[in-house]
Amino acid sequence: MPSSTGPSIDTITEGGRVTQVGEGQEAEETSPPVVTFGAPAVGEVLAERYELVEHINNDSAGRLVWRGVDVVLRRPVAVVLRYPGGDSATEMLQAAVAASRVIHPNLVGVYDAIDEADRAYVVREWVDGQSLRELVTADGPLDPARATAIGSSVASALAAVHATGMVHGNVHPGTVMISDDGRVVLADARTDGADSQENDLRAVGGVLYFALTGHWPHGEAPLHGATAGHGRAALPDAVRDAGGAIAAPRQVRAGVPAYLDDLTMDLLDPEIAPPSSDVLSAELNRLDIPADEHFLEQAGPLSFTADTGDEPSPLAAAGGRKVALGIAGLLAVALVGLLIGISALGDDKDPGQEPVAQPSSSAPAGNGTSAPAAPVRKLTIQDVRIIDPDSRDRAEVRDAEKVIDGDPNEGWETASYRNNGKFGGLKDGMGIWIDLGAPHTVKSIQATLSSTGASAELRAGKREYPSNSSGDKQLVAAYTERIGQPFEEHDGTTMTFDGFNPEEKYQYLLFWITELPEKDSGGSWKLGVQELTVQGS
């Protein structure tokens, strides 16, 4: 007889839709293998209530993730099954029960948790949308207003969890979900005793940093429970100096307000005690203002403020370092207030009065101040060529232009190779040469591939495209500088190379494929490159 123990779960995005996979839980090397005998089938009804509709995926712990329907309430659900049940499913069920006790609009709802001995399963809310990781990877860093709104929602969810004395333990860009209707929800809570509320709060700083920069500040040794998702290359590491200290968001990207930059860095600073989750939630909620009211940024709270003579932010009560508003900032705020007052006078103003210039938040260059960094944008690729130094048939080098035509459904592909993914042992690799037309500061290069499992790297050089095929060998030999992180048997269809030296400019690049994924079980290896995109200034 099934035993219902109450309910949480896991989520990941795939193809833009939340596929509810539990990406945040990396399988531990010491975890026992998961036996998946007696797998369920489409149409099967669990506990006489939850009909299985579609097998979505298996999560990193080997659990089966299904989309289902609650036949009683007629609503979509996510069902995560583990084989066997019993003692091996205790942690999963306990996490579900704990999560079900907290009802909050920014938390994924958990409906049921059932142990049938030979299997156990958890039933929870089905969310259509994207994870923050997927959103930023696809579209780039978010504007400060949207990043603040997402951080506010996450902090609000944590405040609800912490109010019960529990810990979420798994806050990172893969467990922050943005539904199609704009709702932000936090998923995949854990019940690991090694987690703490402070780690949850540090992770909010990581989420803000990632949303603002596209980089994960915890590197390969993240806070416990805040993994970087599937594969080490899933989230690019933050830009660091020689001592390993991370660059502030404003150093990585122009346009990040000072108060948001300070708040993010304070949350990541182990020397500064974070505020409680309810205080942080209140502060981020106060900062979550409409984009058309951006002038309020001048008067925004500056990180963990203490007594400054001005009205303190909610963070002041939590302690922290003293940060005062600068005289220039105060004057700018006063000027904004004056302008608002003049506007409110309406018909009383002098018809012949000249309009007053709006204050600018940009400091002029010179007098010891540096000009703002050039904005990051999509760079135009002037030319692409297929580089194949060991090819005997030049038919394989056609269709290079399809990787920059803006259509992800069409691209260039290799021939099919037999025996192994190393191009059948016939060549060391092949790739795509990129000409940006002129030297540029490059922030990232994204390659959209036809399938998972490929290995590739990015190289830079100064040699132009050779005039004949015999020059391909010379070009490859000249492109010895490897930039960005390489990918080995990448488990995604998007490779994003970044972390480049901001002082270096590049015009010619080489996307070099070193190993192909297996196309089918028949022993055929092949890869398609659908699109190449370069971001920089």
Side-chain angles (χ1 to χ4, degrees):
M1 188 72 175
S3 61
S4 178
T5 57
S8 174
I9 298 292
D10 329 297
T11 52
I12 192 175
T13 62
E14 185 171 328
R17 185 185 66 179
V18 174
T19 53
Q20 326 285 319
V21 184
E23 82 163 343
Q25 271 187 268
E26 296 290 316
E28 299 289 343
E29 294 182 0
T30 57
S31 299
V34 178
V35 181
T36 55
F37 57 83
V42 173
E44 181 178 354
V45 179
L46 307 180
E48 301 181 351
R49 179 168 184 173
Y50 306 112
E51 180 181 355
L52 300 179
V53 176
E54 178 186 9
H55 178 215
I56 300 301
N57 210 327
N58 293 351
D59 71 7
S60 57
R63 297 172 298 185
L64 284 66
V65 183
W66 283 72
R67 177 171 63 88
V69 174
D70 183 335
V71 298
V72 176
L73 299 179
R74 306 307 303 172
R75 65 181 175 184
V77 295
V79 183
V80 179
L81 300 101
R82 178 184 172 87
Y83 291 82
D87 293 341
S88 65
T90 298
E91 182 177 351
M92 180 184 81
L93 297 174
Q94 286 178 344
V97 171
S100 69
R101 295 170 181 165
V102 185
I103 308 300
H104 191 275
N106 298 121
L107 288 170
V108 168
V110 181
Y111 304 144
D112 212 345
I114 297 173
D115 185 4
E116 295 181 350
D118 62 326
R119 67 181 177 186
Y121 47 92
V122 175
V123 183
R124 74 161 176 84
E125 176 185 5
W126 176 268
V127 181
D128 283 314
Q130 292 179 286
S131 72
L132 177 62
R133 184 187 76 169
E134 185 80 5
L135 178 65
V136 173
T137 300
D139 300 335
L142 307 183
D143 63 79
R146 192 173 189 193
T148 301
I150 290 174
S152 176
S153 296
V154 173
S156 180
L158 288 177
V161 172
H162 293 176
T164 67
M166 296 191 301
V167 174
H168 186 278
N170 198 25
V171 180
H172 63 85
T175 56
V176 177
M177 319 305 299
I178 297 93
S179 69
D180 290 340
D181 61 3
R183 175 183 168 218
V184 178
V185 291
L186 186 58
D188 195 18
R190 290 184 177 178
T191 57
D192 193 325
D195 292 314
S196 67
Q197 292 187 0
E198 178 177 335
N199 281 356
D200 279 351
L201 293 163
R202 301 289 187 200
V204 176
V207 166
L208 286 171
Y209 192 95
F210 178 77
L212 291 168
T213 68
H215 296 266
W216 183 239
H218 299 305
E220 295 187 7
L223 295 174
H224 184 77
T227 63
H230 289 269
R232 292 185 177 182
L235 292 183
D237 188 20
V239 177
R240 300 175 184 273
D241 62 20
I246 63 174
R250 297 179 78 188
Q251 296 174 300
V252 178
R253 174 189 177 202
V256 178
Y259 67 80
L260 189 56
D261 185 273
D262 289 341
L263 174 58
T264 300
M265 294 303 289
D266 281 350
L267 287 171
L268 296 173
D269 190 341
E271 300 299 321
I272 299 177
S276 62
S277 54
D278 56 340
V279 170
L280 179 60
S281 174
E283 180 71 348
L284 285 169
N285 184 62
R286 189 165 82 89
L287 298 179
D288 185 11
I289 58 176
D292 57 357
E293 296 180 14
H294 58 83
F295 60 82
L296 290 180
E297 292 177 1
Q298 296 285 355
L302 301 181
S303 107
F304 295 47
T305 59
D307 295 335
T308 62
D310 303 301
E311 180 183 354
S313 77
L315 292 179
R321 63 192 181 193
K322 297 181 179 181
V323 181
L325 283 172
I327 295 177
L330 290 172
L331 291 176
V333 173
L335 181 55
V336 170
L338 176 61
L339 293 174
I340 294 174
I342 292 173
S343 176
L345 293 178
D347 294 336
D348 293 338
K349 67 181 181 181
D350 182 356
Q353 180 180 350
E354 292 293 330
V356 180
Q358 293 292 329
S360 171
S361 60
S362 300
N367 296 328
T369 62
S370 58
V376 176
R377 58 184 174 85
K378 180 179 178 180
L379 299 179
T380 300
I381 298 177
Q382 299 293 337
D383 192 16
V384 289
R385 302 295 179 104
I386 305 303
I387 303 299
D388 190 5
D390 299 307
S391 176
R392 300 176 182 176
D393 181 4
R394 299 303 289 175
E396 199 175 7
V397 302
R398 298 170 182 167
D399 299 325
E401 68 280 356
K402 290 184 178 180
V403 304
I404 58 172
D405 62 1
D407 184 1
N409 297 315
E410 285 193 332
W412 164 80
E413 61 182 11
T414 69
S416 293
Y417 291 83
R418 309 290 294 181
N419 301 323
N420 59 61
K422 299 287 188 180
F423 297 89
L426 301 175
K427 61 182 73 174
D428 293 330
M430 62 186 305
I432 303 174
W433 176 84
I434 303 168
D435 180 8
L436 299 177
H440 289 275
T441 299
V442 178
K443 286 293 185 181
S444 68
I445 298 178
Q446 184 179 90
T448 304
L449 309 178
S450 61
S451 59
T452 62
S455 298
E457 60 191 30
L458 190 67
R459 301 180 182 181
K462 298 181 180 180
R463 184 182 177 88
E464 297 183 2
Y465 183 74
S467 59
N468 54 63
S469 60
S470 63
D472 281 13
K473 288 182 180 291
Q474 299 174 8
L475 186 143
V476 173
Y479 280 61
T480 58
E481 179 187 1
R482 291 175 174 82
I483 59 176
Q485 77 286 358
F487 290 83
E488 297 291 337
E489 297 181 1
H490 184 46
D491 58 1
T493 56
T494 300
M495 290 183 179
T496 301
F497 300 87
D498 55 15
F500 309 137
N501 182 357
E503 303 299 323
E504 187 70 40
K505 291 185 181 292
Y506 302 97
Q507 177 174 347
Y508 304 117
L509 300 162
L510 179 62
F511 173 70
W512 188 246
I513 303 166
T514 56
E515 187 169 1
L516 304 173
E518 188 171 10
K519 180 183 177 184
D520 52 49
S521 57
S524 176
W525 282 263
K526 186 177 185 178
L527 178 67
V529 180
Q530 308 303 109
E531 205 72 13
L532 287 173
T533 304
V534 182
Q535 296 281 340
S537 58

